[in-house]
Each structure stands twice: as structure tokens, then as C-alpha cells.
Amino acid sequence: MKPLVRMALGIAVCAVTTNFIASAQTVISAKSGLLHYVEGRVFLGDQLVESKFGNFPDLKENQELRTEEGRAEVLLTPGVFLRLGENSAMRLVTNRLIDTRVEFLAGSVLVEADELLKDNGVTIVYQDYTIQLQKKGVYRFDSVPPAMRVYDGEVLAQFNGQNEEIKGGRMLEMNGAMAMAHFDKDKETDELYLWSRRRSEYLAMANVSAAKSISDSGMYWGAGNWYWNPFFNMYAFIPGGAGLFYSPFGHALWSPYNVYGYLYSYAPYYFYPGLGYGGGSTSPRTPRGVNVASGAVARAVTRSGLSGTAASSRGGFSGGGARGGYSGGVSAASIGSGSHAGGGGGGGHR
């Protein structure tokens, strides 16, 4: 049985057997810079970050985040994740959603933008280069050799008075000129890329129960935002509207208005704010981009009647940490292992 399926089944067992339903789910949107997950040795300023359930430190403006033998994930504007590899550093210049600026200092950073909301802006600065994200996508920054790669999406690069739009499959060599080159985005992957892809999958799993919780609560959900899911010990990104969204890594992201179509395997009866409901058939279907593990989570949520807020501190899945080293696999997911711990160190970095 594949590790992610074992993890999903572990979640199912926890969901069915636990009677504890946590109610403290919150929405955040005021600013960027939440330190969402760390594993290994990660420093916020001069302080080593320690793992604590439900504790997510804020990066202050002009504060530095760096890793040694560790990795970190930071939430920027809603739908945008920044991930640091080993021996890397960044500084949060401004944390305003309208103009979030991050200075990339050293090492390697990958940015996953699931959605760029209207009036939100994300800019990455490296030395004299300014990179503005234009579309959802996956973007990679390295300091040795200095380069920015666009795996998917589009950026506007600025240097020494020059502007250049850069799209998927192209890279900017940041060596004192506006030098462009092509790269093979299917082959140029490494440990940071594979870890980011796994993190994206965990976040897609957390999205399902969080979207159901919002729907069950009757809360109006407008634009996309972060939503605290204590079952997974992470903030899931929940899109707005009634459409079906996909992350750049290909995972489905459900809004509260269409999640039941996934949970109960019928073409969703969409709810359009201000317009009411729109139709769909009742024939079973498996949407594109939904993996086996996510399907197991959906079945667990459906059978148990959970609203996405079940929390269990004994075994199972209590966060999104990937303990399986850097091979691209996940090795610590089964029920009873207590291996995943989001929001801090306990991910078993190797």
C-alpha cells in the first residue's frame, strides 16, 4: 500500500474513533509572513524555532529567516507559499498584502502560487533584481549560481531599467545582466522541489475537510483565504467562488461551494453567491487532479460526518511534515506513528 494511502487511512481511523471535535478554526488575511512549517534547524532572527502544535510565529518586517540543516514554509498572500531549502535565508521586507516583498539572501527558495488575488502583490528581490509574480505558478530562486526559474506561470523581471516577462520553461541568470535561457522543467528537479510537491499534496488534503467545515458552518466565503484546520495542524488555502481550482502541482483545491460534489462523488450542485444553485448530474466521477490519498481523506470525512475540525494528538496525522527524507516519498504516515507535526520542527528532517 502506498505511503500516502496509508496516511489517509490513518486519518480515517482517527476521524472515526475520536469523539473530540475542535472548534477553534480561524481565518487569517491581514498580512503576509506566517511561519507555517519547519523541520530541522531553522532560525527566526537569532532564535531557533521550536515545534509547538498550533503555534505559527509571524515574521516581522525586516526580520530574517534562515535554515541550516532544515527547511521552512512561509505563508505570503492567500494562496502563495514560500519554501526555503537547506542553508538558505530570506528577509521579509514588507508584509502588506497589497505589496508583499521578500528579499532572497542565499541558498534556494521555491515559491508556489496557487492563486494571486486581486489587489495582492508578491515581489521577490535579489541584489539588484526585482521579480514580480504575475500569475499562479511555481518559481525557483538560487544563489549558486544565481538564477531564477519559472516552472509554471509568469513573472515580470526588472534589472537596471530593463523589464522582461518570463514564462514557464525559461530562466533568468542573475549574474549582472538580463540574460535569459531555457531549461527542462521536467528534469531540473531536486530535493527542495520534491519536498515542495509533497507539501502541496498535504495542503490539498487539508483543503477538503476545511472546505467542508466552512460549508457546514454556513459561513459566507468570498475571495480565497487561509483557514486554520487543526485536524492537519495547518492553514489550508480555500479558494473563493464556485469553480474548481488546481494548484500548479496539479492538486485539486475545493471551495466551500463545490466540496460536496467531491465528498459524495457527484457532479456538484454549485452555489453561486447572489445567483443561487446551478445544476450537475448525480453520476459518480473522479475529478482530474484528485489523488488516491485525497480520495481516502474525502471518504473518511464523509463517513464520519466530520466538519474538518477533528483533532487527535495520539498518532495519525497532526500536520504536514514529510519525514521521508528527500527521496520524494513519504515514510511516516501510518496510524499510531505520531510522525507528522506541522507548525514547527518535529518533521524528522534527514
Side-chain angles (χ1 to χ4, degrees):
M1 184 180 293
K2 293 184 178 180
L4 278 176
V5 178
R6 289 201 301 271
M7 175 176 64
L9 295 178
I11 296 171
V13 173
C14 283
V16 172
T17 59
T18 183
N19 292 321
F20 178 72
I21 305 296
S23 60
Q25 290 203 1
T26 57
V27 178
I28 59 170
S29 63
K31 57 186 178 181
S32 296
L34 194 77
L35 182 53
H36 191 225
Y37 175 78
V38 303
E39 58 183 62
R41 290 179 61 82
V42 177
F43 293 83
L44 186 54
D46 295 327
Q47 298 296 316
L48 179 67
V49 179
E50 297 181 0
S51 173
K52 294 181 180 179
F53 181 88
N55 181 43
F56 305 96
D58 276 316
L59 275 73
K60 310 302 182 186
E61 289 191 344
N62 295 312
Q63 191 170 28
E64 183 176 323
L65 178 69
R66 62 183 177 88
T67 62
E68 291 181 353
E69 291 184 0
R71 294 174 289 206
E73 178 179 84
V74 179
L75 305 187
L76 299 181
T77 63
V80 181
F81 306 83
L82 183 147
R83 302 185 178 106
L84 281 77
E86 289 187 324
N87 301 307
S88 302
M90 57 151 281
R91 184 171 65 91
L92 184 64
V93 180
T94 62
N95 60 11
R96 300 188 305 273
L97 296 183
I98 195 171
D99 181 25
T100 294
R101 285 180 173 262
V102 172
E103 182 180 5
F104 169 53
L105 300 173
S108 297
V109 163
L110 187 141
V111 178
E112 174 189 346
D114 291 346
E115 186 174 5
L116 289 173
L117 299 176
K118 183 180 180 181
D119 298 328
N120 284 187
V122 177
T123 301
I124 311 296
V125 177
Y126 177 72
Q127 296 182 358
D128 294 328
Y129 292 86
T130 299
I131 311 297
Q132 297 177 356
L133 305 191
Q134 301 291 296
K135 296 181 179 179
K136 62 182 286 185
V138 176
Y139 309 97
R140 170 71 178 256
F141 297 80
D142 294 284
S143 62
V144 182
M148 186 279 303
R149 291 173 172 81
V150 179
Y151 283 86
D152 185 34
E154 182 179 330
V155 302
L156 176 64
Q158 299 174 317
F159 173 77
N160 197 25
Q162 303 177 63
N163 297 323
E164 186 75 29
E165 290 184 348
I166 306 174
K167 298 183 179 181
R170 299 186 69 200
M171 61 182 287
L172 170 64
E173 298 173 350
M174 299 186 293
N175 52 10
M178 192 71 92
M180 303 294 171
H182 290 277
F183 74 100
D184 190 333
K185 61 183 181 180
D186 295 321
K187 293 182 179 179
E188 291 195 25
T189 59
D190 65 354
E191 297 164 349
L192 175 59
Y193 184 92
L194 296 175
W195 177 68
S196 295
R197 188 170 64 187
R198 288 200 304 275
R199 287 292 300 166
S200 183
E201 186 167 4
Y202 297 142
L203 289 155
M205 293 165 68
N207 159 270
V208 178
S209 59
K212 182 177 184 294
S213 177
I214 297 168
S215 180
D216 289 346
S217 72
M219 180 191 305
Y220 171 77
W221 195 258
N225 211 333
W226 305 115
Y227 192 76
W228 163 236
N229 186 337
F231 184 26
F232 287 83
N233 190 28
M234 62 174 63
Y235 279 94
F237 175 66
I238 311 298
L244 176 59
F245 293 77
Y246 293 90
S247 76
F249 286 106
H251 304 302
L253 298 173
W254 305 87
S255 81
Y257 306 114
N258 64 19
V259 68
Y260 277 90
Y262 171 39
L263 291 173
Y264 298 102
S265 300
Y266 61 84
Y269 226 62
Y270 294 126
F271 174 78
Y272 297 87
L275 298 178
Y277 290 87
S281 71
T282 57
S283 58
R285 66 190 184 96
T286 300
R288 177 175 61 86
V290 176
N291 54 46
V292 175
S294 296
V297 172
R299 289 190 293 275
V301 172
T302 302
R303 286 197 301 268
S304 64
L306 291 174
S307 61
T309 58
S312 174
S313 60
R314 299 186 302 277
F317 190 97
S318 62
R323 190 177 175 178
Y326 286 149
S327 64
V330 181
S331 64
S334 60
I335 182 72
S337 67
S339 58
H340 284 61
H349 177 82
R350 294 180 181 175

